[in-house]
Amino acid sequence: MVGGIPVSAAMPSNVEDDIESARTVAAAATPKDAFLILSASGTNPFALAIATAVKAARSKVIGMANNAETPLLDLADIPICLATGPEIIAGSTQLGAGTAQKAALNIMSSRMSVQLGHVYKGRMVSLIVDNEKLVIRATQIVAEISDVPQSVAAEALTMAEGRVKLAILLTSGADLSAANALLTKHAGRLGPGLSTIKS
């Protein structure tokens, strides 16, 4: 984020022109990296400086802007134009542009979660169970996917130290060692591991 993650309610705007800071952010870019760079106008100096620097490092650039034919979209390997038109309140990009970008990011992150194997049968199975609410949610997910009572799901989650995928494999018949081996073999994907147990 321009200027770093804010730690107070103050949101300085002059950092958008800090090209040197952008180059520092981009300094560690490699050809294996992809950068998703956002700018409502598509002309933000900070965003353009990062895009230029990481392209020089042969990283991929996904550019998202709310105006067509802008410098950021021209630089991007994958340009995404969310043409929201003029804002209802002139001078603000936190309404139409910001809302459109948030919706697009939600769609992208959801699809990435599915493709990376974090979702199984419409349920998030890569939960990090670190509070009481998530313990309850994780127990329900394990019980529903494995078709076991919640008490059995809770016991499996305890054995799995809160790892939902592992708990599901345990309730499906694998022991702890075999369940870990299946997740390792299938790059953390639950579906192939379950198929192996049931075949």
Side-chain angles (χ1 to χ4, degrees):
M1 187 169 184
V2 178
I5 303 299
V7 294
S8 72
M11 294 288 291
S13 58
N14 60 330
V15 290
E16 291 189 3
D17 299 327
D18 189 352
I19 292 174
E20 288 308 313
S21 175
R23 289 174 180 155
T24 300
V25 169
T30 74
K32 294 182 178 180
D33 296 322
F35 285 76
L36 173 56
I37 303 174
L38 315 178
S39 168
S41 67
T43 61
N44 179 287
F46 186 89
L48 295 179
I50 290 181
T52 301
V54 301
K55 277 187 74 75
R58 294 187 292 130
S59 298
K60 293 293 183 186
V61 173
I62 305 165
M64 186 183 294
N66 298 81
N67 295 311
E69 299 178 0
T70 50
L72 177 60
L73 298 182
D74 289 341
L75 278 168
D77 298 293
I78 302 173
I80 301 171
C81 180
L82 306 171
T84 49
E87 296 287 353
I88 295 172
I89 299 175
S92 171
T93 57
Q94 298 172 0
L95 300 172
T99 301
Q101 289 194 356
K102 183 177 185 301
L105 291 172
N106 284 344
I107 293 167
M108 292 171 72
S109 64
S110 296
R111 184 157 179 88
M112 289 174 194
S113 290
V114 171
Q115 292 186 330
L116 289 169
H118 299 317
V119 177
Y120 180 76
K121 291 190 174 180
R123 295 168 178 87
M124 182 61 73
V125 290
S126 289
L127 284 179
I128 297 172
V129 181
D130 58 4
N131 64 47
E132 187 174 344
K133 176 189 73 176
L134 290 178
V135 169
I136 294 169
R137 186 176 298 169
T139 302
Q140 290 172 339
I141 290 171
V142 174
E144 289 169 359
I145 290 176
S146 301
D147 194 23
V148 297
Q150 294 219 1
S151 59
V152 174
E155 184 179 342
L157 266 172
T158 299
M159 288 180 61
E161 298 180 339
R163 291 174 289 173
V164 173
K165 294 177 187 176
L166 191 60
I168 292 168
L169 291 172
L170 292 175
T171 57
S172 300
D175 61 29
L176 193 58
S177 176
N180 273 310
L182 283 169
L183 287 175
T184 299
K185 178 181 179 181
H186 297 292
R189 295 178 182 275
L190 179 60
L194 280 174
S195 297
T196 299
I197 294 172
K198 295 175 180 178
S199 61

